[in-house]
Amino acid sequence: MLDENELLFDELYEKTKDCGRIQFIRLLIKKERENQELKKELSNNRQIKSQQKEFIEWLEDMLVSELDIFTVVRVSDVLSKYKEIIGTK
């Protein structure tokens, strides 16, 4: 059974076996750009997750503070809906 690196090697080999040096370098540049974009997206996703967590914690803190019952119910509804929207339990 082939491991992930061997499969990747085989895939890249097939894509580049008939490439000249310039074509190979262009392919590497393209893959590097794609890699940088994915890293940027991952970083943005982490930032969004952090902001979502902070907002949820803020809402939860409001629930334990001394608020009137109507405010607690509204905050609880907002918190539940927000968690539903972002897919958090």
Side-chain angles (χ1 to χ4, degrees):
M1 175 150 186
L2 297 176
D3 70 7
E4 188 175 321
N5 285 337
E6 290 171 325
L7 291 173
L8 182 58
F9 178 85
D10 289 346
E11 179 183 339
L12 288 173
Y13 178 79
E14 285 301 315
K15 286 182 179 178
T16 60
K17 70 179 179 183
D18 296 327
C19 273
R21 180 178 284 171
I22 292 173
Q23 289 172 315
F24 183 72
I25 290 170
R26 286 183 180 146
L27 178 63
L28 286 175
I29 290 169
K30 178 184 173 191
K31 292 301 177 185
E32 180 61 26
R33 285 183 181 143
E34 289 173 2
N35 190 32
Q36 293 301 322
E37 283 297 316
L38 288 172
K39 284 181 181 179
K40 189 186 303 183
E41 286 178 32
L42 180 61
S43 175
N44 288 341
N45 189 30
R46 286 184 182 143
Q47 184 180 5
I48 289 169
K49 292 286 186 191
S50 175
Q51 290 171 341
Q52 289 172 340
K53 182 179 178 185
E54 184 179 343
F55 183 62
I56 288 171
E57 288 172 357
W58 179 75
L59 288 172
E60 289 173 339
D61 287 346
M62 285 185 69
L63 290 175
V64 295
S65 63
E66 306 241 350
L67 301 171
D68 63 87
I69 188 66
F70 298 110
T71 304
V72 170
V73 169
R74 285 193 304 256
V75 169
S76 180
D77 289 344
V78 169
L79 179 59
S80 295
K81 186 63 177 177
Y82 186 71
K83 286 182 175 181
E84 178 186 323
I85 290 170
I86 66 170
T88 302
K89 296 187 181 190

